[in-house]
Amino acid sequence: MSKQLQCTALAREFSRSWFGDLRRRVIEERQPYVLASAETPHEIFEVLGLPVVTAEWWSGVVSAKRRAGAYLDWMNAHGLHEGLGGYNTLGLVSLMAPEVPDAPWGGLPPPALLCTPNRSEAGARAYAMAAGRLNVPCFTIDVPAATRFYPRWWEMARREWDDLYERHRVDIMLEQFRDLIAAAEAIAGRRLDLDALRARLEAVNRQEEAFDAARETIVEAEKCPVSLDEQMSNVMTAQWHRGTGWAVSHAQAFRDEVQARAAAGEAACAGERIRLMWVGNGLWQNTAFYRAFEDSHGAVFVWSMYLAIAADGYIKYGLHDPVRALAARYLNLGEQMHVPPWAGEWVVHEGLRHRVQGAVMLAPPASRTALAGNRFQMLALEKAGIPVLEVTMDPNDNRAWDEARLRGQVARFIEERIAA
Amino acid sequence: MPAFDALHAAYRNRLEPARRAAAAGTKVVGVIGGAVPVELVHAAGCFAVQLTAEPGGPTDRADRFMEDLHERATRALFDRMLGGAFDFCAAIVIDMTSDANRHLFHYAKEIVRQGVRDTLPPLIAYDLMLGDGTAIRGYGLARTRELAERLRLIGGGEDIAGALAAAQRRRALLRRLEALRAEGRLRGVDALHVLGAGRFMAPEEFEQALTAFLAETHPTLTGPRVVIVPAVPLDHDTLHEAIERSGGVVVGEDDWWGSRAHDGDFRTQLPPLEAIFGAHYETTASPRAPEAKREAWLRRRLEAGGIDAAVVYIPPSDQDFGWSYPDLQRLLDGKGIPAVLLRDDILDASGAERIAAQLQAFIGGLR
């Protein structure tokens, strides 16, 4: 197994110390912060001086600390049935359940504002419940439905986004973002500086360009220079703070390390014989799993949506109206990773150029939103000659984690459908 | 009851009136969801028909493409679409007011793109968003104008004022129907058939049959008066049957197939298209609506009185409504309304058995 990247340890340390600092500012200095879904314009809040905690990131922290089960038990004891536990909502539940012991890193303090897109009924209801319980305002962004679909959306997403996402849809998102800005300004006690927002989005573009370059290196390298768990932790730590000086530098350092390793012929697994892709949400409760088949099968996970969507979903050129560019970013970001017709074509494109020989696809049992589109993606991948294994598993719930079963499934898949 | 027979027949044989209309040369527009302004379909001179799954119907064709975590009704509807059941429609309008419909639209588009089916009727997304504020309202009005124009191109007509006047007459009749229910003078199953029939019949035939039905004598029924709060719209009468077999009388249901089908008034001082849009925007029963809009009907119905109990139906497939259950329970407790929570699938034989036993105990206890 290869030596860990230097930036991986830095990312872990950054998350922890950033969160400690946030707690201190919120609890001791009574500064307001925003708890927001991943698919909301964090940059607006941060330019206004309002720190943002991403609800999905916090869900991931809870899962990584193997505390998800305790919160899911709390839900069931409080009238919320078993089918409701989901990656997007665990962070909210942890806020509503301060009595659950051993919250990671001391737990989330109460936010000043919740913010979510109305992308799924479950998410909207969960945020409404949390807002009511915490007596905190919740800003919900109605996401208009796509009515027209272009092939190869990723080729248009950076510059032709007004056309790709349909002008009338961008317009209505923009109107809502203006209302959101007003709400955030009231909390921050200051006006949004549009030049500062534009500069922030330019920095985001630089960050995602660095991730794009890292992805190209992985595509071109004979053997994958960086393991998937390191890709995910480095990318997502920077993404949750995207456009900050730290995040841009970190993305560039990640790119440089990946490129240096590729140039030196270093690989995540020297014995790489098989390349795999992971389709769906990350296994945040056990990212080490992605390396479980390197020694035994020479099988290396080289791709997940996280690095790829950073490059294909976030970069937006044409920032004369930075709020409009942000509005376009959030119209279909979620669907592009999961739902037809966006996702199937994209994963095939990514899988082929990453030279993967198989795909392992997550089917989370308690999240229709995350599962929707799996069948079409599977059909598209198989048609392109990439065999697929679908594994049913909750990526968060440590109570249901069955490592032996999962390892057995993936090992059989490699042996019977790829190596054979 | 000949009037009821006609309504009942339309509820049972849902596509028959539309097929007859198509055979006679009328353009038929299928609608999916409860928020499509069918008044605009009528205004265009087309026949509007709600497209539904066969309750508990097969999903074999759909299962190849649609994951089994989707509601069974969505999968069964997609299955019928794949099988060509709706090919006689000149177009299909899908409202985007639920996750289920959004998925259905994407999936239907994809099967055409993939060449699985190349003969689906044109799909039209009606993107009504239900959030508050003038921008969202303006967005919905613009989409409604677009829909009216697309329908005009299909049917050739544009008598929006005439369609609005007819819709007003139907709403007035349906409010009389709801008043009869509130007095406990209609079985819930029968009321559901009458309400549902309006989604499948020609509007003038429905108006005539409904007028005749309301003119009949409807004696007061005995039994606890029950309101159903379902997690999914009930496009079938199975739960109503089970409740009424246990001795209850269903006097309302919090979904767009039932009591909320014709909630609210058209504001006739507005231009006709705006009046039609406004009624749908303000009162559509949608899971994507803001909480206050979602809960408005139930709160109003409980305030009006005459409810002895509530049946909350959350089938095992639910992944969203359950988030609202603790607050719903609190609301019912606060009003002193006894409630039972059903977590089995009424369309599954063993689930139906367990539900029957639960209802016997609950409604028996009320009596």
Side-chain angles (χ1 to χ4, degrees), chain B residues 178 181 188-189 191-192 195 226-230 234 240 250-261 285 297-298 301:
Chain B
E178 285 298 311
R181 298 185 75 186
V189 171
L192 197 66
L195 286 162
V226 174
V227 66
I228 303 176
V229 187
L234 295 172
H240 289 68
V250 179
V251 297
E253 47 287 300
D254 188 2
D255 73 11
W256 60 264
W257 270 94
S259 298
R260 297 187 66 173
W297 179 87
L298 183 62
R301 191 64 190 81

Side-chain angles (χ1 to χ4, degrees), chain B residues 2-154:
Chain B
F4 180 72
D5 290 346
L7 296 161
H8 175 75
Y11 183 80
R12 285 283 180 239
N13 305 304
R14 299 177 169 189
L15 294 182
E16 280 312 305
R19 286 207 173 102
R20 279 200 306 273
T26 302
K27 294 272 176 61
V28 173
V29 173
V31 303
I32 293 176
V36 177
V38 291
E39 298 84 4
L40 298 180
V41 180
H42 298 149
C46 300
F47 188 103
V49 59
Q50 187 80 40
L51 304 182
T52 71
E54 298 281 2
T59 61
D60 305 348
R61 284 176 295 238
D63 289 345
R64 190 173 161 223
F65 307 104
M66 191 170 258
E67 300 78 13
D68 57 11
L69 269 187
H70 293 278
E71 294 290 353
R72 188 183 176 96
T74 309
R75 288 183 285 132
L77 177 57
F78 189 48
D79 195 273
R80 295 192 83 190
M81 207 181 257
L82 285 169
F86 310 132
D87 285 358
F88 67 96
C89 293
I92 295 175
V93 185
I94 306 182
D95 83 42
M96 298 284 118
T97 65
S98 69
D99 289 359
N101 286 1
R102 286 184 174 219
H103 283 134
L104 190 66
F105 178 71
H106 281 122
Y107 282 44
K109 282 279 194 191
E110 185 68 352
I111 58 165
V112 175
R113 197 177 74 91
Q114 297 278 357
V116 178
R117 288 250 13 220
D118 54 5
T119 57
L120 269 187
L123 298 170
I124 302 172
Y126 175 56
D127 191 19
L128 179 67
M129 299 197 295
L130 298 163
D132 300 319
T134 51
I136 297 288
R137 191 184 176 94
Y139 178 87
L141 183 57
R143 304 287 78 72
T144 307
R145 287 191 207 286
E146 282 175 5
L147 178 65
E149 177 57 15
R150 289 198 67 174
L151 292 168
R152 188 187 67 77
L153 293 173
I154 292 169

Side-chain angles (χ1 to χ4, degrees), chain B residues 122 131 223 265:
Chain B
D265 283 313

